[in-house]
Amino acid sequence: MTDPTAVLTLTRPPSLAPLLARGALLSPFKRPGPDAAFPRTRLVLPGVRVDLARLAAYERICGFPVGEDALPVTYPHVLGFPLAMRLMSGRDFPLPLPGLVHTSITVTRHERLSPGGRYELSVHVEGLVPHRRGTQATVVTEMRRGGAVVWESTSTYLARHRTDRPATGPREPEPPKPLPPVDEWRLAGDVGRRYGAASGDRNPIHLHPLTARLFGFPRAVAHGMWTVARCLAAHGVPQNCRLRAEFRAPVLLPGTVTYAAREGRFELRGPRDRIHVTGDVYPT
């Protein structure tokens, strides 16, 4: 892993739609691999303020209480995602954006985050590693207030491709026994569109069956970050905490899923106990 060697300060958040289009257009020219060069720039966006109307829409679709005096633990990811997309859609990012799979996220919240605060966001690519199914990129997002890191996350994104090089990491462990069910959720077909409107992430696989089929899905797919946010809204989150979630399988819309939890662990299961999301959250 390598620290960024350059800092680029932005004056406003990037617009996601042009970045998605740019990433799609450049994808045929990408040559993914763990030894490929990747962008060494840290993007910084100072003076970030939260749009309270957009925040309320996010809270409603994810199941968080509306109007709380603290940001939901997953909301800084929404604020930082356009910066991550700017890096991952660029010519110097070696993994093709279409088909890139968000496989995990780890979040540490160091203190309460007020919706009325001013923050600085920064995002950088930490590195690439081999994976048994291709190449995985690690993207780090940090939120600062007064120079101190108050929230940080590490996300992994997998580009699937043929590889003859064995991965250095361990294989997936055997799945643990299912957690006890807590609730059953019937998910409407418009969940992806509603979350996309609140978060700004309007990836076509989430919006409509027709656009999802272009990417090999039979129906629209729920955003991974919506599934984990919905689980955390039901589970409850300590004020200062560390959480990790792994995205195992897509959630098709409409559909029915089972939310299950015990102590600090949670999961989302589909029919025949297919695991969609697993996670844990603990106080720090």
Side-chain angles (χ1 to χ4, degrees):
M1 301 298 179
T2 305
D3 290 333
T5 57
V7 175
L8 177 60
T9 300
L10 306 178
T11 57
R12 61 179 182 272
S15 177
L16 280 172
L19 297 179
L20 285 169
R22 180 176 72 169
L25 289 172
L26 291 175
S27 64
F29 306 100
K30 299 301 181 76
R31 298 293 180 265
D35 299 323
F38 59 90
R40 306 302 178 99
T41 301
R42 183 192 302 271
L43 297 182
V44 177
L45 181 63
V48 175
R49 302 293 296 266
V50 173
D51 181 325
L52 297 182
R54 185 176 168 188
L55 171 61
Y58 177 89
E59 291 169 333
R60 282 191 291 269
I61 185 60
C62 295
F64 292 106
V66 177
E68 292 274 284
D69 62 352
L71 293 178
V73 67
T74 47
Y75 197 68
H77 174 85
V78 172
L79 299 175
F81 188 64
L83 280 71
M85 284 293 297
R86 173 160 171 170
L87 288 174
M88 292 191 291
S89 65
R91 190 177 299 275
D92 55 352
F93 185 73
L95 309 185
L97 195 59
L100 198 64
V101 180
H102 194 185
T103 53
S104 74
I105 185 169
T106 300
V107 170
T108 304
R109 182 169 64 183
H110 298 284
E111 60 183 68
R112 173 184 169 276
L113 305 175
S114 168
R118 292 177 66 91
Y119 302 97
E120 178 186 275
L121 286 169
S122 68
V123 175
H124 69 274
V125 178
E126 189 173 84
L128 306 175
V129 295
H131 187 280
R132 68 184 181 282
R133 295 179 180 172
T135 300
Q136 190 164 265
T138 300
V139 178
V140 175
T141 302
E142 295 174 326
M143 175 181 275
R144 288 177 170 82
R145 179 168 54 195
V149 176
V150 293
W151 184 98
E152 56 189 314
S153 75
T154 300
S155 284
T156 56
Y157 295 90
L158 173 64
R160 293 189 176 97
H161 60 85
R162 293 185 61 183
T163 176
D164 296 326
R165 178 177 176 176
T168 56
R171 290 187 174 273
E172 289 184 8
E174 289 296 320
K177 293 183 178 179
L179 296 174
V182 176
D183 201 0
E184 184 178 89
W185 299 336
R186 297 182 183 275
L187 309 181
D190 67 347
V191 165
R193 293 190 290 276
R194 292 173 59 203
Y195 182 84
S199 67
D201 182 359
R202 292 183 173 88
N203 187 317
I205 67 171
H206 304 302
L207 303 182
H208 193 276
L210 291 178
T211 52
R213 286 182 196 128
L214 297 175
F215 296 89
F217 296 100
R219 303 197 300 276
V221 177
H223 295 73
M225 284 305 298
W226 176 83
T227 63
V228 70
R230 184 68 184 88
C231 287
L232 291 169
H235 189 276
V237 181
Q239 188 60 63
N240 296 352
C241 65
R242 179 178 174 84
L243 68 90
R244 176 174 171 80
E246 294 187 358
F247 307 107
R248 301 292 187 89
V251 175
L252 299 179
L253 301 171
T256 300
V257 292
T258 298
Y259 164 69
R262 176 188 286 133
E263 298 176 344
R265 295 172 54 209
F266 61 87
E267 65 188 19
L268 202 62
R269 301 196 299 264
R272 296 178 294 279
D273 280 339
R274 186 186 191 193
I275 300 294
H276 294 292
V277 179
T278 64
D280 53 66
V281 55
Y282 295 100
T284 56

